[in-house]
Amino acid sequence: MEDKNQEMQGAHNRKKNVLDFRKYTKQIWLAGLGAFSRAEDEGTRLFDSLVKVGEELESKTSDIADSTVGVVGEVKDRVTGRVSDTKEKVERALDERVNSTVSRIGFASHKEVAQLVELIERMEQKIDDLTEEVKKLRSKK
């Protein structure tokens, strides 16, 4: 009876661990999305602010506006580059956190599972080969 209670408790703990992992993974994902969104919003606000300054300058003089258009384009390119860089950094950080969490919990990585599948396939082939050899030996008797 006690063994059965321990088994049920173990099953409950495994289920809870899986649920905790899913919750933690979702939180990491949401944090990454939030960071990406914030970086994108801040880059957009900076760009919008620069456009507004450009519009004011254009209304004052056409000469200043012509030169400002080039500057705004360059700044837009830099801001866009920064947003892209920030996005890549967030993605890398998110990947590292998820991989670290998966590793800490003890789940097998995709690479480890692929290696195990390959090993099983090779073992199955060897078993098939040995089975054929045994059949041939038995048929010779």
Side-chain angles (χ1 to χ4, degrees):
M1 181 72 160
E2 188 176 308
D3 289 341
K4 192 168 192 169
N5 285 340
Q6 287 177 346
E7 284 179 32
M8 289 175 60
Q9 183 67 32
H12 175 72
N13 287 340
R14 283 189 296 276
K15 186 174 181 182
K16 185 177 184 286
N17 286 341
V18 168
L19 293 174
D20 288 347
F21 172 73
R22 286 182 180 164
K23 179 182 174 187
Y24 189 60
T25 302
K26 184 170 183 177
Q27 287 175 339
I28 292 170
W29 172 253
L30 292 174
L33 287 176
F36 174 71
S37 177
R38 179 167 288 164
E40 194 171 52
D41 287 346
E42 290 174 9
T44 302
R45 273 192 238 118
L46 176 61
F47 178 73
D48 290 344
S49 171
L50 291 170
V51 169
K52 188 173 183 176
V53 167
E55 289 171 346
E56 291 170 0
L57 288 173
E58 184 180 48
S59 69
K60 291 179 183 177
T61 67
S62 63
D63 290 340
I64 293 174
D66 288 341
S67 64
T68 303
V69 168
V71 171
V72 170
E74 291 171 15
V75 172
K76 175 192 164 238
D77 292 343
R78 283 188 291 196
V79 169
T80 301
R82 287 183 187 165
V83 168
S84 293
D85 290 346
T86 302
K87 176 186 168 210
E88 289 172 8
K89 287 177 185 175
V90 168
E91 287 174 346
R92 276 195 304 272
L94 185 60
D95 285 345
E96 289 172 8
R97 290 296 302 258
V98 168
N99 289 336
S100 171
T101 300
V102 167
S103 176
R104 241 188 351 244
I105 291 173
F107 287 124
S109 71
H110 178 69
K111 183 178 178 181
E112 291 169 329
V113 171
Q115 288 172 339
L116 288 173
V117 167
E118 183 181 331
L119 179 63
I120 290 168
E121 287 173 349
R122 282 188 283 162
M123 290 173 70
E124 286 175 339
Q125 184 60 48
K126 285 182 181 183
I127 290 170
D128 290 345
D129 293 346
L130 288 171
T131 302
E132 279 299 314
E133 249 184 80
V134 168
K135 284 182 183 176
K136 287 180 183 177
L137 288 173
R138 284 185 179 166
S139 69
K140 288 181 181 180
K141 285 184 179 184

